[in-house]
Amino acid sequence: MLRPELAALAAAPLLGRPERTLPPAKTDIARSYGGCRVLVTGAAGFLGGLVTRAFLDAGVEEARALDRHEAGLERLERNLRDAGRHEALRVLLEDAGDEAAVRRAVDGCDLVVNAAACKQVPFAERFPRRVA
């Protein structure tokens, strides 16, 4: 059950802009974002890694993969390099909670996907503003 204080959080006020959703199919992603520069936070995680791969497959000009998990970023980079899909990848070892680092990372991007998150649901429920 979602706690009331989490249900009341709307994306637009937190983002400072209207919420946008990604197209559902890879072909739509390619049509919409091919040639763009994107930033994926939490890129070393399961969801962030999938999103980063989808953007690379879509032919983005640059996919910036930001995460604080060094081993996870190295694994992502190695897997993409081994698959020959790394040319547009730029790995950024940074914390998504570091405002200055995120400002540098987002500079020049057309799209940002925030997949960075706390892994423990009870912790995320207790500290919802630290999870975003």
Side-chain angles (χ1 to χ4, degrees):
M1 182 74 175
L2 189 62
R3 292 177 49 180
E5 60 270 24
L6 293 178
L9 292 175
L14 294 172
L15 295 172
R17 61 163 174 76
E19 183 177 6
R20 297 183 199 119
T21 58
L22 289 175
K26 283 187 178 182
T27 56
D28 291 337
I29 292 173
R31 190 170 33 254
S32 298
Y33 302 110
C36 290
R37 284 175 294 215
V38 300
L39 168 65
V40 180
T41 66
F46 175 74
L47 179 60
L50 291 175
V51 171
T52 301
R53 287 175 178 86
F55 280 126
L56 289 167
D57 288 345
V60 295
E61 179 180 322
E62 181 180 51
R64 299 176 190 178
L66 184 144
D67 206 295
R68 66 181 178 187
H69 190 262
E70 182 179 339
L73 278 178
E74 191 278 328
R75 184 173 40 254
L76 174 70
E77 185 175 40
R78 181 176 10 94
N79 290 341
L80 290 167
R81 185 178 52 248
D82 291 348
R85 298 163 50 199
H86 68 287
E87 293 83 11
L89 179 67
R90 180 173 162 211
V91 173
L92 303 170
L93 182 61
E94 299 284 359
D95 189 326
D98 180 340
E99 184 178 345
V102 172
R103 285 187 185 278
R104 287 189 305 272
V106 78
D107 186 45
C109 284
D110 301 298
L111 175 72
V112 176
V113 176
N114 182 18
C118 293
K119 297 175 185 165
Q120 302 299 320
V121 173
F123 185 82
E125 288 177 338
R126 283 185 18 229
F127 305 101
R129 298 212 183 274
R130 295 295 299 160
V131 176

